[in-house]
Amino acid sequence: MLRSDTGRWILGDHAQAHAEAPLTSRMPRSGLANHIIDRTFVAGGERWIIDYKTVRCDDAQPRAFLERHAEERYRAQLERYVALYEGEACRCVQQFSTSCRTSL
């Protein structure tokens, strides 16, 4: 993460920056729900929500694996996070770390 300009920017000094930000919301069916947002901050007039994921895959091409599975698997979670900041323009980023096995 710290090897890339993007990673350093995400972890840089930003307004309203929080790591492991604990938030609570009211869910229609289940009552209160607790959420932990890995990293959030405001930059350029937008709330950034960063969600870190470690993914294991049995695929020789981790990027293709992530493109196939990430959106469907984590979309609802990111939508819940955006709803916590109602009224703010939000940008969501998933930052993946992969551990993939390949067959030789």
Side-chain angles (χ1 to χ4, degrees):
M1 179 106 183
L2 291 175
R3 288 186 237 158
S4 75
D5 290 340
T6 302
R8 286 189 297 274
W9 181 80
I10 287 171
L11 294 173
D13 188 27
H14 298 285
Q16 300 179 38
H18 300 280
E20 300 290 319
L23 299 168
T24 301
S25 68
R26 183 168 302 282
M27 303 299 283
R29 294 184 184 151
S30 59
L32 296 179
N34 294 315
H35 311 274
I36 302 292
I37 297 183
D38 295 332
R39 174 103 173 122
T40 184
F41 54 85
V42 174
E46 293 180 296
R47 162 77 52 193
W48 287 73
I49 298 170
I50 313 299
D51 188 42
Y52 300 115
K53 297 291 184 205
T54 301
V55 178
R56 290 191 181 96
C57 62
D58 294 323
D59 197 313
Q61 300 189 8
R63 180 176 296 276
F65 176 86
L66 292 174
E67 288 172 354
R68 282 194 313 269
H69 298 287
E71 183 175 347
E72 67 190 52
R73 199 174 279 180
Y74 303 116
R75 176 190 299 251
Q77 179 185 15
L78 292 175
E79 288 174 352
R80 285 192 307 271
Y81 289 172
V82 168
L84 294 169
Y85 294 99
E86 185 178 345
E88 290 188 51
C90 293
R91 184 178 296 221
C92 296
V93 175
Q94 291 178 313
Q95 182 70 37
F96 288 95
S97 172
T98 58
S99 172
C100 295
R101 285 190 311 208
T102 58
S103 301
L104 298 178

